């Protein structure tokens, strides 16, 4: 029974952390944007503007809730809910750190250690399209519909290359699909990024596309589609869409850290294990993972304020004609090297 | 006992959602209910301890094929109230083919024997390694044939979609 | 383009390095209400109607400023100085009403150049914000400097050499 309580507490904490990080990502986004443009950014609410997300949240809640009369009411409400649910569900298979020891029992810091962990993430991400599509269609607005169609075709296209690049990772980490096993196979500085730079490049480009982040933010490109799929949304329903996007960013940063940068591993972890108590090492490993995650969140923002948006045909060409063949070749080469040189 | 309860919940969910697929007036709702149906089938796979098949089912059907369906339905003009009068021929054909399918299924159920209940905890047929080994040993020929079929379909689609140069 | 250029990756890294350099640069923003930007000596802000050393209004309502004004923001009504008002107005004619519509004004400074009597100057003060349009029509009560609160325009006073 204690395992259930532990898991429930863990899920609760992960939800809180996801939402908190999403909230502070909005603040970080504005701060990073400002700093990269030689500005200061929000600094009025609280010290250094740290209460800005709170102010934004209150503003979101107090805005008028508008459901267009020509829209399909139920689907209009369902859209943001689905998007949020799928965004939060992805965090279930990520190993957040070394096991904790509470009352003589060992608890894994992972909600579910599925043996298909990475496929689970791909599956849930592929379901995330529905939130956008339904929201865009039910708004009964041509810009929303165009945004939704762009979002879905973009996500489907980049999912393929993403899956193919993951196959290479699975090949070099003993053929296991479980995220725990993939992380465990990267002890020390034995990170996958050093063995699979091409897969990393493909994966991170696809992650940008899946999160609808610049340079691939065509579904909501404000200069052509007003707000894209959330043009008609207001109040907290819009808030859910924006929030879920930041959660997606957080989760994809976590997945990138786990797949390519060793997750909670760092050089010297084994040594620390022998000298420090288990729980302290566990906390340190969690901290290390979060440092990596924060770096990638920063990287997402850094890219956003550096590279301009792609044109839609360029996006499709990059996905299908460059990343897709490249990832297949990568898998072939990895397989060949493993077969002939790694006996 | 627990798994039986879950089984009944899942089964009723899949049946009810399948019925909604057929009876929904709005095609978008049909697609949505079909997704619910697929997710409940995903649950069935999980109950059988076939995690790999379950997730592949989710990714391929719920994640990709239904998106394409939704895509098509969304681009239709659903506001058109009056559809042009259609001949009853397709309906008759549909009834006949559906009836034939039912017959085949009934015949199969009648002649074949259902295997006894195996606790899913004891089997690991659905695991990635097992499925992979099966595909690349016992079912290699059908697997490769399917891939050739897919490539043929893809090339066909490309040829059809490509505009003729004047 | 060469093969390397067609990859675009070097260009992307170059761009990233440029943006990351800006992360550590000195920020140019000022935190406004606490820190105020220094005005240029010849900043063209809200107008002032000057008085002379004895506290008499310089303006004689000649109307040259209104003629010069490209935005037609200035209107005035002239009046004759009465007996006993010599300490108020420098010359026999003065502006009974002098109004500048601050929403029309484009702060070009042509009125200042047109004025033969050193009466109107633009200052480094900002026009305060209001809630209604009517309040932006500034009359003499807003424009004429108070006798005990002179506004220094010595830095912008042009000395013409003839």
């Amino acid at each position: 029974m204690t395992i259930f309580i532990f898991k429930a507490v863990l899920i609760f904490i992960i939800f809180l952390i996801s939402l908190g990080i999403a909230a502070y990502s909005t603040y970080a986004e504005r701060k990073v944007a400002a700093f990269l443009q030689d500005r200061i950014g929000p600094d009025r609410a609280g010290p250094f503007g740290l209460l800005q997300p709170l102010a934004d949240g209150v503003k979101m809640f107090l805005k008028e809730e508008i459901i267009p009369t020509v829209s399909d009411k139920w689907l209009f409400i369902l859209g943001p809910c689905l998007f949020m649910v799928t965004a939060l569900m992805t965090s279930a298979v990520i190993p957040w750190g070394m096991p904790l020891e509470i009352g003589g029992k060992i608890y894994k810091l992972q909600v579910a250690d599925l043996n298909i962990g990475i496929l689970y993430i791909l599956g849930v991400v592929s379901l995330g399209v529905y939130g956008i599509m339904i929201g865009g269609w039910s708004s009964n607005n041509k810009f929303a519909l165009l945004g939704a169609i762009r979002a879905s075709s973009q996500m489907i296209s980049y999912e393929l290359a993403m899956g193919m690049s993951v196959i290479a990772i699975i090949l070099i980490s003993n053929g296991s699909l479980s995220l725990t096993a993939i992380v465990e196979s990267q002890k020390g500085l034995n990170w996958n990024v050093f063995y699979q730079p091409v897969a990393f490049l493909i994966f991170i480009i696809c992650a940008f596309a899946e999160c609808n982040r610049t340079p691939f933010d065509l579904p909501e490109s404000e200069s052509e589609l007003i707000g894209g799929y959330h043009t008609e949304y207001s109040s907290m329903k819009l808030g859910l869409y924006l929030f879920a996007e930041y959660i997606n960013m957080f989760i994809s940063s976590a997945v990138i850290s786990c797949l390519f940068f060793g997750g909670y591993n760092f050089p010297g972890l084994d040594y620390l294990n022998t000298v420090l108590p288990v729980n302290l090492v566990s906390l340190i490993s969690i901290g290390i993972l979060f440092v990596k995650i924060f770096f990638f969140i920063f990287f997402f923002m850094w890219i956003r304020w550096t590279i301009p948006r792609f044109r839609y045909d360029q996006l499709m060409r990059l996905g299908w004609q460059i990343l897709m063949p490249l990832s297949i070749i990568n898998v072939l080469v990895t397989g060949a090297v493993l077969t002939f040189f790694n006996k | 006992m627990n798994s039986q309860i879950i089984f009944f919940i899942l089964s009723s969910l899949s049946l009810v959602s399948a019925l909604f697929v057929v009876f929904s007036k709005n095609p978008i709702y049909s697609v949505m209910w079909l997704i619910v149906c697929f997710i409940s089938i995903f649950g069935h796979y999980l109950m059988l301890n076939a995690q790999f098949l379950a997730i592949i089912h989710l990714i391929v059907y719920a994640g990709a094929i239904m998106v394409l369906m939704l895509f098509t339905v969304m681009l239709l003009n659903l506001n058109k109230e009056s559809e042009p009068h259609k001949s009853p021929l397709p309906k008759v054909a549909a009834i006949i083919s559906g009836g034939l399918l039912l017959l085949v299924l009934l015949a199969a159920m009648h002649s074949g024997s259902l295997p006894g209940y195996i606790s899913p905890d004891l089997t690991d047929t659905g695991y990635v390694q097992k499925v992979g080994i099966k595909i690349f040993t016992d079912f290699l020929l059908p697997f490769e044939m399917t891939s050739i079929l897919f490539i043929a379909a893809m090339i066909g689609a490309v040829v059809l979609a490509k505009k003729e140069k004047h | 383009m060469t093969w390397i250029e067609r990859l675009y990756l070097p260009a992307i890294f170059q761009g990233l390095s440029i943006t990351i350099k800006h992360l550590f640069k000195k920020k140019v923003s000022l935190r406004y209400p606490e820190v105020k930007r220094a005005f240029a000596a010849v900043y063209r802000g809200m107008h002032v109607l000057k008085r002379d050393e004895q506290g008499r209004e310089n303006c004689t309502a000649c109307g040259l400023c209104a003629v010069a004004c490209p935005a037609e923001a200035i209107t005035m009504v002239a009046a004759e100085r009465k007996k006993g008002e010599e300490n108020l107005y420098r010359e026999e004619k003065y502006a009974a009403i002098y109004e500048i519509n601050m929403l029309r004004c484009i702060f070009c400074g042509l009125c200042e150049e047109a004025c033969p009597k050193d009466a109107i100057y633009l200052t480094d003060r900002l026009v305060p914000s209001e809630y209604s349009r009517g309040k932006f029509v500034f009359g003499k009560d807003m424009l004429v400097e108070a006798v005990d609160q002179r506004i220094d325009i010595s830095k912008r006073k042009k000395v013409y050499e003839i």
Side-chain angles (χ1 to χ4, degrees):
Chain A
M1 205 58 223
T2 49
I3 190 82
F4 279 107
I5 296 167
F6 177 76
K7 294 280 177 192
V9 171
L10 187 64
I11 291 172
F12 186 68
I13 290 174
I14 289 174
F15 273 19
L16 278 188
I17 290 177
S18 306
L19 292 172
I21 286 184
Y24 272 92
S25 294
T26 62
Y27 167 76
E29 175 102 87
R30 294 168 68 178
K31 270 292 193 202
V32 168
F35 272 60
L36 291 181
Q37 296 165 353
D38 295 346
R39 296 185 286 113
I40 292 170
D43 70 334
R44 293 289 129 170
F48 306 105
L50 276 173
L51 296 176
Q52 190 68 37
L54 201 71
D56 288 344
V58 168
K59 185 203 81 173
M60 276 289 181
F61 269 111
L62 297 181
K63 285 262 176 180
E64 188 187 354
E65 183 97 52
I66 296 170
I67 297 179
T69 45
V70 287
S71 70
D72 194 312
K73 195 180 167 198
W74 292 112
L75 293 183
F76 192 78
I77 296 171
L78 185 67
C81 303
L82 260 182
F83 198 45
M84 192 70 179
V85 166
T86 48
L88 283 172
M89 263 166 68
T90 335
S91 58
V93 291
I94 291 167
W96 297 100
M98 299 281 286
L100 273 177
E101 192 184 318
I102 303 167
K105 274 188 175 176
I106 303 278
Y107 292 103
K108 269 189 190 170
L109 277 176
Q110 188 180 23
V111 176
D113 186 11
L114 300 178
N115 65 9
I116 43 153
I118 187 66
L119 282 179
Y120 168 84
I121 289 177
L122 287 177
V124 174
V125 165
S126 70
L127 287 184
V129 188
Y130 289 115
I132 292 178
M133 282 194 89
I134 289 168
W137 181 80
S138 63
S139 304
N140 213 341
N141 173 320
K142 59 184 148 195
F143 295 111
L145 182 62
L146 277 173
I149 286 169
R150 279 184 176 190
S152 46
S153 52
Q154 173 180 327
M155 283 168 108
I156 295 173
S157 310
Y158 277 77
E159 236 160 58
L160 291 167
M162 194 181 213
M164 292 306 269
S165 69
V166 167
I167 288 179
I169 293 301
I170 295 163
L171 281 176
I172 64 165
S173 52
N174 307 325
S176 177
L177 293 174
S178 152
L179 270 176
T180 323
I182 292 174
V183 169
E184 282 297 323
S185 72
Q186 308 177 54
K187 283 266 180 239
L189 252 182
N190 210 12
W191 296 350
N192 280 339
V193 67
F194 302 124
Y195 301 100
Q196 287 290 341
V198 179
F200 168 66
L201 196 69
I202 295 167
F203 192 90
I204 200 162
I205 291 173
C206 294
F208 277 109
E210 294 281 320
C211 294
N212 296 334
R213 293 281 302 182
T214 338
F216 307 112
D217 63 342
L218 289 127
E220 43 174 299
S221 51
E222 53 284 89
S223 50
E224 14 187 311
L225 292 184
I226 308 177
Y229 57 87
H230 53 57
T231 302
E232 292 286 347
Y233 280 91
S234 57
S235 182
M236 209 49 212
K237 287 210 277 293
L238 173 67
L240 279 184
Y241 268 125
L242 302 181
F243 238 67
E245 223 162 80
Y246 281 104
I247 293 175
N248 274 339
M249 207 166 95
F250 167 56
I251 299 295
S252 28
S253 302
V255 171
I256 291 170
S257 316
C258 285
L259 284 182
F260 294 95
F261 286 84
Y264 51 75
N265 281 311
F266 58 97
L269 180 65
D270 289 331
Y271 170 71
L272 282 184
N273 241 337
T274 55
V275 285
L276 291 176
V278 184
N279 284 348
L280 193 61
V281 175
S282 172
L283 288 179
I284 292 173
S285 67
I286 296 171
I288 291 287
L289 177 62
F290 271 88
V291 166
K292 289 172 185 171
I293 291 173
F294 289 145
F295 172 75
F296 279 105
I297 291 178
F298 172 74
F299 187 71
F300 268 78
M301 292 167 183
W302 184 10
I303 288 279
R304 172 167 181 184
W305 301 107
T306 304
I307 303 175
R309 187 181 298 133
F310 276 49
R311 222 169 48 221
Y312 202 70
D313 59 314
Q314 292 170 331
L315 171 90
M316 281 296 154
R317 210 183 59 220
L318 178 69
W320 287 102
Q321 295 186 2
I322 299 171
L323 293 186
M324 190 61 188
L326 194 64
S327 55
I328 292 174
I329 292 168
N330 187 41
V331 169
L332 280 177
V333 170
T334 312
V337 168
L338 283 179
T339 317
F340 296 119
F341 297 103
N342 207 20
K343 278 292 169 190
Chain B
M1 196 58 214
N2 256 335
S3 63
Q4 240 173 16
I5 294 169
I6 298 172
F7 172 76
F8 280 120
I9 293 171
L10 276 175
S11 306
S12 49
L13 184 65
S14 30
L15 287 177
V16 167
S17 54
L19 283 177
F20 270 114
V21 174
V22 181
F23 291 120
S24 291
K25 280 264 162 76
N26 190 334
I28 293 273
Y29 279 87
S30 290
V31 172
M32 294 311 297
W33 281 113
L34 196 51
I35 295 164
V36 174
C37 184
F38 281 150
I39 289 173
S40 66
I41 290 171
F42 164 77
H44 281 298
Y45 274 120
L46 280 186
M47 296 279 293
L48 293 169
N49 213 6
Q51 300 187 351
F52 180 68
L53 287 181
I55 205 75
I56 288 298
H57 173 83
L58 192 73
I59 292 175
V60 173
Y61 285 96
I65 292 180
M66 290 322 290
V67 172
L68 292 180
M69 294 267 266
L70 204 58
F71 224 93
T72 328
V73 174
M74 277 180 181
L75 294 176
L76 297 174
N77 189 3
L78 295 178
N79 296 332
K80 220 186 285 175
E81 286 293 332
S82 58
E83 287 185 10
H85 184 69
K86 283 182 195 154
S87 68
L89 200 68
K91 278 182 189 168
V92 175
I95 290 169
I96 291 172
S97 53
L100 281 176
L101 181 65
L102 183 70
L103 244 156
V104 169
L105 281 178
L106 282 178
M109 295 257 281
H110 181 72
S111 61
S113 63
L114 291 169
Y117 177 74
I118 309 163
S119 172
D121 301 331
L122 301 176
T123 63
D124 50 0
T125 40
Y127 279 32
V128 193
Q129 287 88 345
K130 296 276 166 164
V131 172
I133 288 167
K134 275 275 180 215
I135 282 178
F136 284 103
T137 53
D138 296 356
F139 299 100
L140 186 60
L141 185 68
F143 179 70
E144 295 298 334
M145 296 290 269
T146 327
S147 56
I148 290 170
L149 188 71
F150 275 128
I151 286 183
M154 268 168 73
I155 293 172
V158 169
V159 167
L160 284 178
K162 203 165 184 187
K163 275 181 198 149
E164 281 179 32
K165 279 179 187 141
H166 294 292
Chain C
M1 281 195 288
T2 61
W3 185 78
I4 293 284
E5 278 173 348
R6 283 180 62 80
L7 265 181
Y8 290 113
L9 284 176
I12 286 173
F13 284 119
Q14 203 185 351
L16 285 174
S17 71
I18 288 172
T19 40
I20 201 74
K21 265 181 220 151
H22 280 268
L23 189 66
F24 304 107
K25 275 197 181 158
K26 195 176 175 295
K27 308 302 167 208
V28 292
S29 310
L30 287 180
R31 293 177 161 81
Y32 167 63
E34 295 100 55
V35 185
K36 283 181 181 142
R37 195 179 291 282
F39 282 96
V42 291
Y43 186 86
R44 297 197 294 256
M46 196 169 95
H47 313 67
V48 64
L49 287 175
K50 292 296 290 180
R51 293 174 190 273
D52 66 358
E53 294 77 34
Q54 294 150 41
R56 301 175 300 186
E57 284 179 23
N58 284 354
C59 180
T60 60
C62 63
L64 281 179
C65 50
V67 171
C69 183
E72 300 185 350
I74 303 176
T75 52
M76 67 185 73
V77 173
E80 212 167 317
R81 186 178 67 182
K82 301 262 165 51
K83 268 265 161 60
E85 289 180 338
E86 285 86 357
N87 59 335
L88 291 178
Y89 311 111
R90 196 169 64 180
E91 293 176 37
E92 293 86 57
K93 196 164 144 245
Y94 72 96
I97 297 172
Y98 191 100
E99 283 178 349
I100 301 181
N101 187 336
M102 289 300 176
L103 291 178
R104 300 206 63 156
C105 178
I106 57 170
F107 301 97
C108 58
L110 286 183
C111 45
E112 179 183 297
E113 279 180 32
C115 186
K117 297 286 180 188
D118 273 359
I120 188 162
Y121 280 99
L122 272 67
T123 62
D124 57 3
R125 297 172 301 164
L126 297 173
V127 177
S129 40
E130 299 284 356
Y131 285 104
S132 67
R133 286 167 170 271
K135 285 184 183 155
F136 280 103
V137 180
F138 283 13
K140 277 179 83 172
D141 53 328
M142 300 285 284
L143 294 171
V144 182
E145 62 179 345
V147 184
D148 49 348
Q149 289 171 355
R150 293 306 186 90
I151 287 151
D152 180 32
I153 44 92
S154 53
K155 274 182 196 154
R156 55 189 304 121
K157 211 164 189 175
K158 288 185 194 96
V159 180
Y160 294 102
E161 287 173 21
I162 305 161

